[in-house]
Amino acid sequence: MEKVGHIASDIGEYIRQQRNNAKISLRQLSKLAGVSNPYLSQIERGVRKPSAEILQQIAKGLRISAEALYVQAGILDLPSGGPVPDAIRADTELTERQKLVLLDVYESFRRENNHTDVPVQESEHHAEHQDR
């Protein structure tokens, strides 16, 4: 039972932090997420542990990924991906939206580089000549 309480308070604190980062009030988030104000308050205080469906509604209201909330709630494991994605996910200075954008850009560069066999030096050399 202690673990459930710990998880509930962690997710509640995380939701509160994301709400404060987004500069929206508890009342505004409750309207955006379609969750009652008292229930959302209980979630933030760690009194109630929200279901995956409620987390999805809250994520929508916060404009962050539901996956981020699922990871915080212990529903999903933190996705692995190496030192760069891990560093982006761990950065407390970034919002969830900023993290997702950075991860998308990073992954798109990796996919692009995997599809081309051009060494980095050649592509940099090619870019230098295009700029002239």
Side-chain angles (χ1 to χ4, degrees):
M1 194 67 158
E2 185 178 308
K3 181 146 174 96
V4 171
H6 181 66
I7 290 170
S9 66
D10 286 352
I11 188 62
E13 179 58 35
Y14 183 77
I15 290 168
R16 179 183 293 123
Q17 187 178 49
Q18 294 304 309
R19 182 175 57 76
N20 289 335
N21 288 347
K23 296 180 176 25
I24 58 177
S25 70
L26 187 72
R27 181 163 276 126
Q28 288 171 313
L29 180 56
S30 75
K31 281 186 178 27
L32 291 168
V35 176
S36 77
N37 198 43
Y39 184 61
L40 185 57
S41 175
Q42 290 175 346
I43 291 169
E44 284 194 359
R45 289 182 286 127
V47 176
R48 301 284 297 259
K49 184 174 184 254
S51 67
E53 292 81 16
I54 297 294
L55 287 174
Q56 187 172 21
Q57 290 173 238
I58 293 170
K60 185 178 175 186
L62 288 169
R63 296 180 185 223
I64 63 173
S65 76
E67 180 185 67
L69 289 183
Y70 294 159
V71 168
Q72 287 295 319
I75 295 170
L76 284 179
D77 290 332
L78 184 64
S80 62
V84 174
D86 289 349
I88 292 170
R89 287 186 190 101
D91 192 323
T92 57
E93 302 281 319
L94 298 174
T95 65
E96 285 304 312
R97 184 178 214 116
Q98 291 168 332
K99 290 176 187 181
L100 288 174
V101 169
L102 279 173
L103 289 168
D104 285 346
V105 169
Y106 178 72
E107 288 305 319
S108 72
F109 285 151
R110 290 184 48 89
R111 279 192 302 275
E112 182 180 306
N113 290 342
N114 285 336
H115 290 322
T116 61
D117 293 327
V118 179
V120 173
Q121 292 88 0
E122 275 185 47
S123 65
E124 287 173 357
H125 180 70
H126 182 67
E128 284 176 21
H129 289 288
Q130 277 186 325
D131 291 341
R132 294 183 185 171

